[in-house]
Amino acid sequence: MEQNDNILIVDDDREIRELLAEYLRKNGFQVSVAANGKQMRAALEVAAFDLVVLDLMLPGEDGLTLCRELRASRHKTVPILMLTALADETDRVVGLEMGADDYLTKPFASRELMARIRAVLRRTRMLPPNMQREENSNQIAFGDWLLDTAARHLLDASGTMVALSGAEYRLLRVFLDHPQRVLTRDQLLNLTQGREADIFDRSIDLLVSRLRQRLMEDAREPRYIKTVRSEGYVFSVAVRLAGGDAA
């Protein structure tokens, strides 16, 4: 954990905001707080954050709405840890599908929050330096495909839509953000699942297989996602923003 990690806490409960902020500051973080979506947006305009702790049950615009907004904005790469008082697993799954990186159910111990924050930051930084670019288009082109990042679906050469699950979309975005880079299974697994994965969990191979099917890949000679023996996978074709330059 770096001393300059900057955390934004978005929670309408003043006592919780202050307690969490004090605890995180004592552990070396910079912290800002917001009570609602309006204050969150104002904070994001004046500072860069390494992680957002976002309460699900907010008055007015709830946490799911704000999570979806963040993922569609220029702050889309900022990790999100969602707080929820709800025991319903559906709400947690929806949060992860909306783009949250992890969740924590209230009430929780401060040390558990610290562990989750560090885990999310660690997962986020596992990848090699990203080839960052401003997305002035909602469509990313590769091969015979376009990915619509607003609607989160694929368009083939004829314009036919192919729907993606949340996990498939996140995996494809990781590949498109890092073309021609070998990514290990652990990197891909930790970035596409919401919490620490079992070291023996091979579910990433199943997810890659599903994504290859979406892309109509030849399993014996895949064009887009190639297997690198004993290392992982590499996205092997050029990627560009629709109307932009290749990466």
Side-chain angles (χ1 to χ4, degrees):
M1 188 271 294
E2 300 292 338
Q3 290 296 314
N4 62 351
D5 283 335
N6 197 7
I7 309 298
L8 175 60
I9 299 171
V10 186
D11 196 305
D12 64 312
D13 189 313
R14 180 178 178 181
E15 182 178 359
I16 289 178
R17 290 198 310 270
E18 292 180 350
L19 286 173
L20 294 183
E22 180 182 5
Y23 179 76
L24 292 177
R25 288 183 182 123
K26 286 181 178 179
N27 282 272
F29 290 98
Q30 298 179 53
V31 183
S32 296
V33 297
N36 50 45
K38 181 179 180 180
Q39 292 183 14
M40 179 192 78
R41 295 184 194 98
L44 289 166
E45 286 300 314
V46 299
F49 293 95
D50 298 286
L51 184 140
V52 175
V53 178
L54 179 61
D55 188 28
L56 177 64
M57 299 299 292
L58 293 171
E61 298 171 299
D62 63 19
L64 292 177
T65 300
L66 296 179
C67 181
R68 182 169 58 243
E69 177 181 319
L70 284 171
R71 286 294 172 256
S73 75
R74 62 188 177 89
H75 307 289
K76 59 182 172 293
T77 61
V78 177
I80 298 171
L81 174 61
M82 187 162 283
L83 303 181
T84 173
L86 301 177
D88 189 349
E89 183 178 356
T90 301
D91 294 282
R92 298 196 294 271
V93 171
V94 170
L96 295 175
E97 290 294 315
M98 289 290 185
D101 296 87
D102 203 352
Y103 65 85
L104 188 57
T105 303
K106 296 179 180 179
F108 53 82
S110 298
R111 292 177 65 181
E112 184 177 7
L113 174 68
M114 176 67 68
R116 293 291 179 82
I117 288 175
R118 286 175 170 161
V120 171
L121 290 173
R122 184 170 62 251
R123 290 199 300 268
T124 302
R125 291 164 180 165
M126 283 179 68
L127 282 171
N130 198 343
M131 289 181 282
Q132 294 292 342
R133 58 187 184 273
E134 290 295 323
E135 288 189 8
N136 298 315
S137 168
N138 286 331
Q139 292 185 334
I140 302 174
F142 58 97
D144 299 324
W145 297 90
L146 286 175
L147 176 68
D148 188 318
T149 61
R152 295 194 171 199
H153 59 233
L154 281 166
L155 298 170
D156 66 15
S158 67
T160 302
M161 185 189 79
V162 177
L164 297 173
S165 70
E168 291 165 352
Y169 174 82
R170 289 194 296 273
L171 177 61
L172 181 56
R173 280 308 305 262
V174 170
F175 280 130
L176 295 181
D177 285 344
H178 301 82
Q180 283 87 44
R181 292 176 182 264
V182 177
L183 302 175
T184 69
R185 287 176 171 82
D186 287 340
Q187 286 175 327
L188 294 171
L189 185 61
N190 285 325
L191 284 163
T192 54
Q193 294 196 3
R195 49 189 57 248
E196 293 297 296
D198 190 308
I199 192 171
F200 299 111
D201 189 344
R202 308 320 297 170
S203 63
I204 193 64
D205 295 316
L206 296 176
L207 186 56
V208 167
S209 177
R210 281 166 42 194
L211 185 55
R212 280 172 168 165
Q213 291 176 24
R214 301 289 191 197
L215 296 173
M216 301 179 185
E217 293 257 57
D218 182 336
R220 292 170 297 181
E221 296 184 12
R223 175 185 178 188
Y224 299 102
I225 306 171
K226 296 185 180 295
T227 302
V228 181
R229 183 166 302 203
S230 301
E231 293 190 56
Y233 297 97
V234 61
F235 197 81
S236 60
V237 301
V239 175
R240 62 179 178 82
L241 298 179
D245 298 326

